[in-house]
Amino acid sequence: MSSPRSIRTLDLLKARGKAIGVGGGILSESIIGDFTSKLNRNIKVQLRTFAQGPPILSQEATKMAPKPANYDRWPKESLVKRIQALEDELRRQGLAPEIQRQERAEERVLAAAVTSTEAELKAAEKKKKKAAKFDPGKYSTRLIALKFAYLGKNYNGFEYQSSAKMPSVEEELWKALVKSCLIFPERPDEVDFGPWEYSKCGRTDRGVSAFGQVIGIRVRSNKPLPKDEPEQTGGNGGDDVVMAEGQQQEAEKATDVDHQKPEWDPIADEIPYCRVLNRLLPPDIRIMAWAPALPPNFSARFSCRERQYRYFFTQPAFAPMPSSLEPSVSGQKKHEKQGWLNIDKMREAAKMFEGVHDFRNFCKIDPGKQITNFSRRIFESDIVEVKDVESDLPYLGLPEFQPLAGSEGSHPKVYYFHVRGSAFLWHQIRHMVAVLFLVGQGLERPSIVQQLLDVEKNPRKPNYVMADEVPLVLWDCIFPELPDEEAGAVPGSSSGNGRDSHDPQAGGDVEMVDSIDWVWQGEDDPMSLYGAQGLVTELWGTWRERKMDEILANRLLNFVATKPDIERRLITKGAPSAPPKGIKKVYEGGNKAQFRGSYTALFKRQLLASAKEVNDKYAQGFGFKDAEEMTQTKNWRSAIREQKDKNQKGGRSKKAGDVQPAVEEASSRVASGF
């Protein structure tokens, strides 16, 4: 059996590159003998300890034994470390006797260097300061809000998912909060925000970015804890009276000292939350501001009454072809040119989204949520040009690449679809943008928006592809000042005393102002913005890296597009002079157009199942008659979730019979009144 210190000594000498081997001539017999005797004594002590068996825990200690770890809540990084530790433990336990003898031989060979190495190890251990165990009881906490931004291309969305292959933004936030001891969970490796009064404003999908995401969370604070009041003593005894007077004098002295101290400042004396977290977060996640004072019953989700999104795109949307090579497509008007979007038509269609509408034909239905109300209020919807961000491609100014109507200024230009609303359905923005792109290409009329919003006439959504996720940004979240009766109300529902913000008859201010007083990084200390590790300094590096990629790609594209002379036609036999007729490029979002044959209008395509049919099919898969019966069953979500967990652990697929017992149990609780 090898002592841990001997193993560390071996590793240290290997790392230093010293020669190791039996018979190396570097050891004397006396040194080897002394070292062997010490080693044997250590082994005997360890064997005696092992023979005595593990210590018997008392009942109190058994009660305090830690609960088994919930690995379903562990991030991928922590799971990998745990697996490696278990593999090392199994490897140590499975060492064969001959390997153990070889290890003891190596230890004897190292005897000559043990004295100096052991001394170095002891000195190094003395220099290491033992990290003081964090005591949460010594610190106060406070509920704050954080406003932050992230580039979502490298993340599997905002919300943590244990089964995801890519990290989530929420997972990175958890690790930074735990490492900085702003929160102190019992199990740091398990992502569980429950105990920290956590709330989040938006749940962006994979690849989607955010510049104004908001969360609420209770964190550690520098605010001093209130001092305990001195114990009051009573009675008629003389000693009691003397002690009470003494305590009163001490309390008066302490009060005088407290009055001399400056009053605690909730901003200047507080932890610099933005700077602390930004040091630990990845460079594409940045905390921009925090809010020290929040309204009563604050929730980042329910207190937010306006969410703003922007979807960016270029004009032209994809690379246009020279007029001499462009095929003639049936139905294409003469003034239209593939690649160029009609911004005016897109703006006309976008304005039709404003107001309260049923958006079931502009979203992806999630049957697990059993949503039946698809009405949402859109305050503003428009197409806006982004000024002063052009990355000019001169070849697009040549007549053969221009639309017949012409286009002013340099190109490509950058636009964004700007939308402000109370709340949004799953993938709603990307569906809205996809339809606008069809309108901009002349494939659909602007009135297609009104047709899709008329769910009484068109209850089924046509089968069309939603736009790419990367250009979408959650731009901002607005928290207006609310009356007391609305502060705790849930938007879009009848719960609470507040108005339903999606009710067409409900009034509402469409120009909301954020009432939260944010403390932006740089307002406390300008150097935290422009210093060596300032927020602007770091973001400049991120921007410049991507800007150089854009400039090089821009110059390469312009070089390749202008260098060849396509009029030379060096090969004339067998080479097509133009693409086949009837082939049309259709832009559906993303970086390239898709080649399609003749375009099929939306309402001539296959119609998907209605929302009711989707919900009913989901309920029937779990043994219910329909969605109405399932949603009226008390705790139906818990019953389905429990059965899903059992199926996953047992390696079985989801079947109606698998969940029937849980469903019957939930139904019986309803019948019995529980």
Side-chain angles (χ1 to χ4, degrees), residues 344-373:
D344 293 335
K345 293 293 184 181
M346 293 179 66
R347 186 175 288 114
E348 179 185 350
K351 286 296 180 182
M352 297 179 184
F353 288 124
E354 295 180 352
V356 178
H357 302 284
D358 189 312
F359 286 92
R360 68 183 64 199
N361 290 330
F362 288 94
C363 71
K364 187 174 181 180
I365 298 175
D366 183 2
K369 294 183 178 180
Q370 291 292 299
I371 295 177
T372 57
N373 181 14

Short mmCIF file of all heavy atoms in Angstrom, two decimals, residues 344-373:
data_model
loop_
_atom_site.label_atom_id
_atom_site.label_comp_id
_atom_site.label_asym_id
_atom_site.label_seq_id
_atom_site.Cartn_x
_atom_site.Cartn_y
_atom_site.Cartn_z
N ASP A 344 -40.87 48.59 -48.66
CA ASP A 344 -42.16 49.26 -48.46
C ASP A 344 -43.28 48.24 -48.27
O ASP A 344 -44.16 48.42 -47.41
CB ASP A 344 -42.47 50.16 -49.65
CG ASP A 344 -41.52 51.35 -49.74
OD1 ASP A 344 -40.98 51.74 -48.68
OD2 ASP A 344 -41.30 51.87 -50.84
N LYS A 345 -43.28 47.17 -49.06
CA LYS A 345 -44.30 46.13 -48.90
C LYS A 345 -44.14 45.41 -47.57
O LYS A 345 -45.14 45.07 -46.91
CB LYS A 345 -44.21 45.13 -50.06
CG LYS A 345 -44.58 45.70 -51.42
CD LYS A 345 -46.06 46.05 -51.48
CE LYS A 345 -46.45 46.52 -52.87
NZ LYS A 345 -47.88 46.90 -52.96
N MET A 346 -42.92 45.19 -47.15
CA MET A 346 -42.69 44.55 -45.86
C MET A 346 -43.19 45.43 -44.72
O MET A 346 -43.79 44.94 -43.75
CB MET A 346 -41.20 44.24 -45.68
CG MET A 346 -40.66 43.18 -46.62
SD MET A 346 -38.88 42.88 -46.39
CE MET A 346 -38.85 42.17 -44.73
N ARG A 347 -42.96 46.73 -44.83
CA ARG A 347 -43.42 47.65 -43.79
C ARG A 347 -44.95 47.70 -43.75
O ARG A 347 -45.55 47.75 -42.66
CB ARG A 347 -42.84 49.03 -44.04
CG ARG A 347 -43.15 50.04 -42.94
CD ARG A 347 -42.45 51.36 -43.17
NE ARG A 347 -41.00 51.25 -42.94
CZ ARG A 347 -40.09 51.39 -43.88
NH1 ARG A 347 -40.45 51.61 -45.14
NH2 ARG A 347 -38.80 51.29 -43.59
N GLU A 348 -45.58 47.66 -44.92
CA GLU A 348 -47.04 47.64 -44.96
C GLU A 348 -47.59 46.40 -44.28
O GLU A 348 -48.57 46.46 -43.51
CB GLU A 348 -47.50 47.69 -46.42
CG GLU A 348 -49.00 47.64 -46.60
CD GLU A 348 -49.42 47.58 -48.07
OE1 GLU A 348 -48.54 47.77 -48.94
OE2 GLU A 348 -50.61 47.31 -48.34
N ALA A 349 -46.98 45.26 -44.52
CA ALA A 349 -47.43 44.02 -43.88
C ALA A 349 -47.15 44.02 -42.39
O ALA A 349 -47.96 43.53 -41.59
CB ALA A 349 -46.75 42.83 -44.55
N ALA A 350 -46.00 44.58 -41.99
CA ALA A 350 -45.64 44.59 -40.57
C ALA A 350 -46.63 45.39 -39.74
O ALA A 350 -46.93 45.04 -38.59
CB ALA A 350 -44.23 45.14 -40.40
N LYS A 351 -47.16 46.48 -40.30
CA LYS A 351 -48.09 47.32 -39.56
C LYS A 351 -49.39 46.57 -39.23
O LYS A 351 -50.09 46.93 -38.28
CB LYS A 351 -48.41 48.57 -40.37
CG LYS A 351 -47.27 49.59 -40.40
CD LYS A 351 -47.00 50.11 -38.99
CE LYS A 351 -45.88 51.12 -38.96
NZ LYS A 351 -45.60 51.60 -37.57
N MET A 352 -49.70 45.52 -39.99
CA MET A 352 -50.93 44.76 -39.74
C MET A 352 -50.83 43.92 -38.47
O MET A 352 -51.86 43.43 -37.98
CB MET A 352 -51.24 43.87 -40.94
CG MET A 352 -51.51 44.64 -42.22
SD MET A 352 -51.83 43.54 -43.63
CE MET A 352 -51.97 44.73 -44.96
N PHE A 353 -49.64 43.74 -37.93
CA PHE A 353 -49.48 42.97 -36.69
C PHE A 353 -49.91 43.78 -35.47
O PHE A 353 -50.16 43.19 -34.40
CB PHE A 353 -48.03 42.53 -36.51
CG PHE A 353 -47.58 41.45 -37.45
CD1 PHE A 353 -46.48 41.62 -38.27
CD2 PHE A 353 -48.26 40.25 -37.51
CE1 PHE A 353 -46.06 40.63 -39.13
CE2 PHE A 353 -47.85 39.23 -38.37
CZ PHE A 353 -46.75 39.43 -39.19
N GLU A 354 -49.95 45.10 -35.58
CA GLU A 354 -50.22 45.94 -34.41
C GLU A 354 -51.64 45.73 -33.90
O GLU A 354 -52.58 45.54 -34.68
CB GLU A 354 -49.98 47.41 -34.76
CG GLU A 354 -48.53 47.73 -35.09
CD GLU A 354 -48.29 49.18 -35.43
OE1 GLU A 354 -49.28 49.94 -35.55
OE2 GLU A 354 -47.12 49.57 -35.57
N GLY A 355 -51.79 45.78 -32.58
CA GLY A 355 -53.08 45.55 -31.94
C GLY A 355 -53.13 44.18 -31.27
O GLY A 355 -52.11 43.51 -31.10
N VAL A 356 -54.32 43.77 -30.88
CA VAL A 356 -54.53 42.47 -30.24
C VAL A 356 -55.05 41.49 -31.29
O VAL A 356 -56.08 41.74 -31.92
CB VAL A 356 -55.52 42.58 -29.06
CG1 VAL A 356 -55.76 41.20 -28.44
CG2 VAL A 356 -54.99 43.54 -28.02
N HIS A 357 -54.32 40.40 -31.48
CA HIS A 357 -54.69 39.41 -32.49
C HIS A 357 -54.43 38.01 -31.95
O HIS A 357 -53.68 37.81 -30.99
CB HIS A 357 -53.88 39.61 -33.78
CG HIS A 357 -54.02 40.97 -34.39
ND1 HIS A 357 -55.14 41.37 -35.09
CD2 HIS A 357 -53.17 42.03 -34.39
CE1 HIS A 357 -54.98 42.61 -35.50
NE2 HIS A 357 -53.80 43.04 -35.10
N ASP A 358 -55.03 37.04 -32.59
CA ASP A 358 -54.78 35.63 -32.31
C ASP A 358 -53.64 35.18 -33.24
O ASP A 358 -53.79 35.14 -34.46
CB ASP A 358 -56.03 34.80 -32.57
CG ASP A 358 -55.90 33.37 -32.08
OD1 ASP A 358 -54.87 32.73 -32.40
OD2 ASP A 358 -56.81 32.88 -31.40
N PHE A 359 -52.50 34.81 -32.64
CA PHE A 359 -51.29 34.51 -33.41
C PHE A 359 -51.02 33.02 -33.52
O PHE A 359 -49.87 32.61 -33.64
CB PHE A 359 -50.08 35.22 -32.78
CG PHE A 359 -50.03 36.70 -33.02
CD1 PHE A 359 -50.60 37.58 -32.12
CD2 PHE A 359 -49.43 37.21 -34.16
CE1 PHE A 359 -50.56 38.95 -32.35
CE2 PHE A 359 -49.38 38.57 -34.40
CZ PHE A 359 -49.95 39.45 -33.49
N ARG A 360 -52.05 32.18 -33.49
CA ARG A 360 -51.83 30.74 -33.53
C ARG A 360 -51.21 30.30 -34.86
O ARG A 360 -50.58 29.24 -34.93
CB ARG A 360 -53.13 29.98 -33.26
CG ARG A 360 -54.18 30.11 -34.33
CD ARG A 360 -55.44 29.38 -33.91
NE ARG A 360 -56.01 30.01 -32.71
CZ ARG A 360 -56.87 29.40 -31.91
NH1 ARG A 360 -57.25 28.16 -32.16
NH2 ARG A 360 -57.35 30.03 -30.84
N ASN A 361 -51.41 31.08 -35.93
CA ASN A 361 -50.80 30.76 -37.22
C ASN A 361 -49.41 31.36 -37.38
O ASN A 361 -48.80 31.23 -38.44
CB ASN A 361 -51.70 31.24 -38.36
CG ASN A 361 -52.97 30.42 -38.48
OD1 ASN A 361 -52.98 29.23 -38.15
ND2 ASN A 361 -54.04 31.04 -38.94
N PHE A 362 -48.93 32.01 -36.32
CA PHE A 362 -47.59 32.60 -36.33
C PHE A 362 -46.75 32.06 -35.17
O PHE A 362 -45.95 32.80 -34.59
CB PHE A 362 -47.67 34.13 -36.23
CG PHE A 362 -48.19 34.80 -37.47
CD1 PHE A 362 -49.53 35.09 -37.60
CD2 PHE A 362 -47.33 35.12 -38.51
CE1 PHE A 362 -50.01 35.72 -38.74
CE2 PHE A 362 -47.80 35.75 -39.65
CZ PHE A 362 -49.15 36.04 -39.77
N CYS A 363 -46.92 30.80 -34.82
CA CYS A 363 -46.15 30.25 -33.71
C CYS A 363 -46.05 28.74 -33.86
O CYS A 363 -46.68 28.14 -34.74
CB CYS A 363 -46.78 30.60 -32.36
SG CYS A 363 -48.33 29.71 -32.02
N LYS A 364 -45.25 28.15 -33.00
CA LYS A 364 -45.15 26.70 -32.90
C LYS A 364 -45.88 26.28 -31.64
O LYS A 364 -45.61 26.79 -30.56
CB LYS A 364 -43.69 26.26 -32.86
CG LYS A 364 -43.49 24.76 -32.93
CD LYS A 364 -42.01 24.41 -33.02
CE LYS A 364 -41.80 22.91 -33.12
NZ LYS A 364 -40.36 22.56 -33.21
N ILE A 365 -46.80 25.36 -31.76
CA ILE A 365 -47.64 24.96 -30.63
C ILE A 365 -46.90 23.94 -29.79
O ILE A 365 -46.41 22.92 -30.29
CB ILE A 365 -48.98 24.40 -31.12
CG1 ILE A 365 -49.75 25.47 -31.89
CG2 ILE A 365 -49.81 23.89 -29.95
CD1 ILE A 365 -51.04 24.98 -32.51
N ASP A 366 -46.82 24.21 -28.49
CA ASP A 366 -46.20 23.29 -27.53
C ASP A 366 -47.32 22.61 -26.76
O ASP A 366 -47.91 23.20 -25.84
CB ASP A 366 -45.29 24.06 -26.58
CG ASP A 366 -44.57 23.14 -25.61
OD1 ASP A 366 -44.76 21.92 -25.70
OD2 ASP A 366 -43.81 23.65 -24.76
N PRO A 367 -47.66 21.35 -27.08
CA PRO A 367 -48.79 20.69 -26.40
C PRO A 367 -48.53 20.46 -24.91
O PRO A 367 -49.48 20.31 -24.14
CB PRO A 367 -48.93 19.38 -27.15
CG PRO A 367 -47.59 19.12 -27.76
CD PRO A 367 -47.02 20.46 -28.07
N GLY A 368 -47.26 20.45 -24.51
CA GLY A 368 -46.97 20.25 -23.09
C GLY A 368 -47.46 21.38 -22.21
O GLY A 368 -47.65 21.20 -21.01
N LYS A 369 -47.68 22.55 -22.79
CA LYS A 369 -48.17 23.70 -22.02
C LYS A 369 -49.69 23.85 -22.12
O LYS A 369 -50.28 24.61 -21.36
CB LYS A 369 -47.50 24.97 -22.51
CG LYS A 369 -46.00 25.00 -22.23
CD LYS A 369 -45.39 26.32 -22.65
CE LYS A 369 -43.90 26.35 -22.34
NZ LYS A 369 -43.27 27.63 -22.75
N GLN A 370 -50.31 23.16 -23.09
CA GLN A 370 -51.76 23.19 -23.24
C GLN A 370 -52.30 24.63 -23.30
O GLN A 370 -53.25 24.99 -22.60
CB GLN A 370 -52.43 22.42 -22.10
CG GLN A 370 -52.21 20.92 -22.15
CD GLN A 370 -52.93 20.26 -23.33
OE1 GLN A 370 -54.15 20.33 -23.44
NE2 GLN A 370 -52.17 19.64 -24.21
N ILE A 371 -51.69 25.44 -24.13
CA ILE A 371 -52.13 26.82 -24.31
C ILE A 371 -53.40 26.84 -25.15
O ILE A 371 -53.48 26.19 -26.20
CB ILE A 371 -51.03 27.66 -24.98
CG1 ILE A 371 -49.81 27.75 -24.05
CG2 ILE A 371 -51.53 29.06 -25.32
CD1 ILE A 371 -48.64 28.49 -24.66
N THR A 372 -54.39 27.58 -24.70
CA THR A 372 -55.63 27.75 -25.44
C THR A 372 -55.88 29.20 -25.84
O THR A 372 -56.71 29.46 -26.71
CB THR A 372 -56.83 27.24 -24.61
OG1 THR A 372 -56.87 27.94 -23.36
CG2 THR A 372 -56.69 25.75 -24.34
N ASN A 373 -55.18 30.14 -25.18
CA ASN A 373 -55.32 31.56 -25.50
C ASN A 373 -54.09 32.01 -26.28
O ASN A 373 -52.99 32.13 -25.72
CB ASN A 373 -55.48 32.38 -24.22
CG ASN A 373 -55.64 33.86 -24.52
OD1 ASN A 373 -55.88 34.26 -25.66
ND2 ASN A 373 -55.51 34.68 -23.49
#
